[in-house]
């Protein structure tokens, strides 16, 4: 489904409750009360559709990209929170007070029993869910603990709001609206079942084995996996996988890594992993033969369908991983387009797979510009950072205006690179970027 159709589908789902409320034929209430109800309806719809925007569905993140999917997820979570927080305060109608001129209680808010408790609980829990996600990096919990709490918390809030809507919601008394909520809640539950049960079951039938682990640079490991009893993975160069090594496929301990090998290289897949935390720091000790599982392929950092006359790759640190895959594929396909690879690191010891860089230079005649901020005395490459001045110096020539720019690296470098390229006249559609952050 094209990205545009996905956006239309999203808007239809989120605004469907408003449309159903408008069609319900109930007598109108004061404007503030209708706004209060509308805020609650849209907030609940956004919350339920958030389950599909977790980044684990290829049909979505494969179209618009993982970065965009996650930015959407965060922005919409904040929007749902804002709407949910104002929802109870906008009401002007009296609560639970029978009015003599309103025997059917159209002008009274029914807010008692389960409707009250569930609404109050959801109101208290939703801000915690959002705030704990924003502050996740500063919390003393493992990523996996946060991930479990986030999924279960979101599910609990969805359940509470569902009961609240059916018990206390005026428009949610209508069978069509009830059907919509039940359908969206079922979709949310199914999305979790898909990610945590169906996908792992599928992975069990396609296990992998660690074929090699070797040091690729300072605190960076090259991990090669071989398919165990199957033909391997169908993927496009530049995509990434959630990698699980040595655990059951149902484990929450799986981390995203770009596939550094090209599909044309054969059925083995290779990753370049920089030590960062509890999982990546133990990779050096992983034994050959250890069982592994992949949830893949994901991501849209691919050259498929790109017809630009030349391609520039800008990589910072381990952001070189997908570049190896993309350049490897161009070599295999004998793609004649000119390519430039700008690769920035702090020290020479951090340069990964020097022999592979030499191979790319030799076979594809890729112009390789190495930049070090702390070079050794005998360094003959560029010195400094992969910053705005360097990008301007390298790519200001008008011949690069129609090229494709592929960026991958630390967030700060990516932002500077993207902004600078746009300032020198590169169209945003000619910039492909992937951040190594899944939140
Ligand atoms: C699309 C994508 C591609 C990536 N490709 C590479 C690559 O090729 N090479 C490389 O070295 N790194 C890559 N990363 C980063 C890599 O995923 C993290 O460095 C790694 O997961 C850290 O795990 P840890 O347990 O060692 O560290 P921790 O200390 O547990 O986590 C450090 C940070 O890594 C992130 N992280 C940890 N676990 C997960 C998880 N299960 N899912 C998502 N994010 C998590 C969180 O932001 C966390 O704050 C990529 C990230 C993304 C999103």
């Amino acid at each position: 489904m094209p990205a545009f159709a996905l956006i239309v589908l999203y808007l239809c789902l989120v605004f469907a409750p408003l449309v159903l409320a408008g069609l319900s034929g109930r007598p109108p209430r004061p404007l503030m009360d209708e706004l209060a109800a509308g805020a609650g309806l849209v907030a609940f719809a956004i919350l339920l559709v958030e389950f599909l925007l977790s980044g684990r569905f290829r049909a979505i993140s494969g179209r618009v990209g993982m970065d965009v999917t996650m930015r959407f997820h965060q922005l919409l979570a904040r929007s749902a929170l804002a709407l949910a927080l104002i929802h109870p305060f906008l009401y002007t109608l009296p609560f639970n007070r029978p009015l003599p001129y309103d025997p059917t209680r159209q002008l009274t808010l029914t807010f008692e029993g389960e409707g009250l408790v569930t609404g109050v609980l959801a109101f208290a829990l939703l801000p915690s869910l959002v705030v704990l996600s924003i502050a996740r990096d500063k919390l003393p919990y493992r990523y996996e603990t946060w991930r479990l709490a986030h999924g279960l918390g979101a599910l609990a809030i969805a359940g509470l709001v569902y009961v609240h809507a059916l018990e206390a919601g005026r428009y949610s008394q209508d069978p069509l609206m009830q059907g919509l909520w039940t359908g969206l809640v079922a979709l949310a539950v199914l999305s979790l079942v898909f990610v945590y049960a169906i996908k792992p079951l599928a992975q069990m039938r396609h296990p992998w084995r660690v074929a090699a682990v070797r040091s690729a640079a300072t605190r960076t490991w090259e991990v090669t996996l071989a398919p165990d009893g199957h033909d391997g993975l169908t993927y496009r160069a530049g995509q990434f996988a959630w990698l699980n090594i040595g655990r059951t496929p149902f484990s929450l301990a799986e981390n995203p890594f770009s596939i550094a090998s090209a599909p044309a290289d054969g059925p083995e897949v290779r990753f370049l992993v920089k030590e960062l935390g509890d999982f990546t720091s133990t990779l050096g000790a992983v034994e050959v033969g250890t069982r592994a599982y992949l949830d893949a392929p994901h991501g849209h950092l691919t050259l498929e369908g790109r017809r630009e006359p030349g391609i520039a790759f800008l990589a910072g640190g381990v952001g070189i991983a997908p570049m190896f895959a993309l350049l490897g594929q161009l070599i295999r396909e004998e793609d004649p387009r000119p390519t430039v690879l700008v690769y920035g690191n702090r020290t020479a010891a951090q340069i990964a797979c020097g022999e592979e860089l030499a191979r790319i230079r030799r076979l594809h005649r890729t112009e390789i510009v190495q930049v070090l901020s702390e070079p050794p005395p005998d360094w003959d490459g560029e010195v400094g950072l992969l910053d705005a001045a360097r990008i301007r110096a390298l790519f200001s020539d008008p011949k690069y205006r129609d090229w494709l720019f592929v960026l991958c690296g630390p967030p700060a470098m990516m932002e500077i690179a993207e902004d600078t390229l746009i300032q020198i006249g590169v169209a945003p559609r000619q910039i492909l970027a992937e951040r190594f952050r899944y939140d």
Side-chain angles (χ1 to χ4, degrees):
M1 195 185 287
F4 174 73
L6 280 176
I7 293 171
V8 172
L9 180 65
Y10 179 80
L11 293 175
C12 288
L13 285 176
V14 165
F15 290 111
L18 286 189
V19 174
L20 291 184
L23 296 175
S24 73
R26 289 177 181 263
R29 300 181 298 182
L31 177 67
M32 291 307 279
D33 297 275
E34 294 301 349
L35 286 178
L41 292 173
V42 174
F44 190 26
I46 293 179
L47 176 73
L48 292 175
V49 184
E50 282 287 85
F51 285 83
L52 298 176
L53 296 179
S54 66
R56 303 301 289 250
F57 294 94
R58 277 199 283 276
I60 300 171
S61 55
R63 292 282 171 275
V64 296
M66 183 60 79
D67 288 351
V68 174
T69 309
M70 297 322 291
R71 293 293 89 78
F72 243 74
H73 184 83
Q74 293 164 348
L75 183 73
L76 295 163
R78 288 164 172 81
S79 312
L81 176 63
L83 290 169
L85 289 183
I86 59 168
H87 162 69
F89 296 109
L90 291 179
Y91 279 113
T92 58
L93 287 174
F95 282 96
N96 296 332
R97 192 150 31 92
L99 301 170
Y101 52 83
D102 181 28
T104 57
R105 301 192 76 183
Q106 292 291 340
L107 295 175
T108 312
L109 293 178
T110 333
F111 203 45
E112 49 208 7
E114 284 168 10
L116 175 70
V117 177
T118 49
V120 170
L121 276 177
F123 188 83
L125 282 176
L126 187 59
S128 325
L129 189 79
V130 176
V131 171
L132 288 180
S133 303
I134 294 170
R136 186 182 54 72
D137 271 350
K138 296 171 194 71
L139 299 174
Y141 303 112
R142 293 181 63 223
Y143 182 90
E144 289 74 26
T145 311
W146 169 82
R147 184 180 164 195
L148 182 66
H150 190 69
L152 292 179
L155 193 62
I157 293 171
L160 289 168
V161 182
Y162 180 68
V163 177
H164 172 69
L166 297 196
E167 290 293 321
R170 181 191 200 221
Y171 295 110
S172 298
Q173 304 310 311
D174 295 341
L176 264 181
M177 190 76 91
Q178 290 183 357
L180 178 71
W181 291 141
T182 307
L184 287 179
V185 168
L187 208 58
V189 173
L190 277 178
S191 75
L192 294 181
V193 172
F194 179 70
V195 172
Y196 295 109
I198 298 175
K199 271 191 185 209
L201 282 172
Q203 286 169 29
M204 270 179 111
R205 291 203 305 273
H206 294 91
W208 296 73
R209 293 257 172 221
V210 174
V213 179
R214 69 170 191 107
S215 170
T218 297
R219 300 186 59 216
T220 304
W221 299 96
E222 186 186 72
V223 181
T224 307
L225 301 185
D228 188 359
H230 56 96
D231 294 340
L233 182 69
T234 306
Y235 67 103
R236 286 174 284 156
Q239 289 194 290
F240 73 91
W242 257 275
L243 170 63
N244 162 340
I245 294 188
R247 298 179 189 256
T248 97
F250 296 94
S251 163
L252 292 178
E254 40 166 13
N255 300 56
F257 298 104
S258 295
I259 303 171
S261 50
D265 291 342
E268 291 194 340
V269 291
R270 196 162 55 88
F271 299 92
L272 273 185
V273 179
K274 173 121 195 246
E275 289 184 14
L276 187 74
D278 47 6
F279 170 66
T280 47
S281 302
T282 57
L283 265 183
V286 168
E287 286 179 14
V288 169
T290 306
R291 184 154 277 203
Y293 296 98
L294 293 179
D295 173 8
H298 288 276
H300 80 315
L301 198 81
T302 74
L303 301 181
E304 213 174 75
R306 305 303 307 224
R307 301 274 168 261
E308 284 83 352
I311 308 169
F313 300 89
L314 277 66
V318 78
I320 192 72
M323 311 307 190
F324 280 143
L326 293 165
L327 281 156
Q329 191 71 15
L330 290 178
I331 291 172
R332 294 272 179 174
E333 290 171 357
E334 299 183 5
D335 190 298
R337 287 178 287 180
T339 45
V340 175
L341 169 63
V342 188
Y343 181 23
N345 279 293
R346 195 165 53 79
T347 66
Q350 289 174 336
I351 298 172
C353 307
E355 70 291 351
E356 183 147 353
L357 291 169
R359 195 178 77 93
I360 289 169
R361 183 184 277 129
R362 197 178 68 248
L363 294 180
H364 202 257
R365 289 196 300 281
T366 299
E367 181 188 340
I368 297 184
V369 181
Q370 294 246 33
V371 189
L372 289 185
S373 57
E374 293 174 20
D378 57 346
W379 177 246
D380 60 356
E382 303 274 328
V383 177
L385 294 169
L386 226 174
D387 56 10
R390 188 164 312 278
I391 292 166
R392 280 181 187 282
L394 286 168
F395 297 110
S396 282
D397 190 315
K399 79 172 183 187
Y400 294 113
R401 220 47 81 244
D402 299 329
W403 277 37
L404 175 69
F405 288 81
V406 185
L407 319 180
C408 193
M413 178 219 109
M414 304 268 290
E415 263 149 50
I416 290 173
E418 232 167 321
D419 290 350
T420 312
L421 288 170
I422 289 170
Q423 280 161 20
I424 62 179
V426 175
R429 66 173 178 284
Q430 287 162 233
I431 301 175
L432 263 182
E434 185 146 82
R435 281 164 184 74
F436 276 2
R437 269 194 77 89
Y438 171 65
D439 48 16

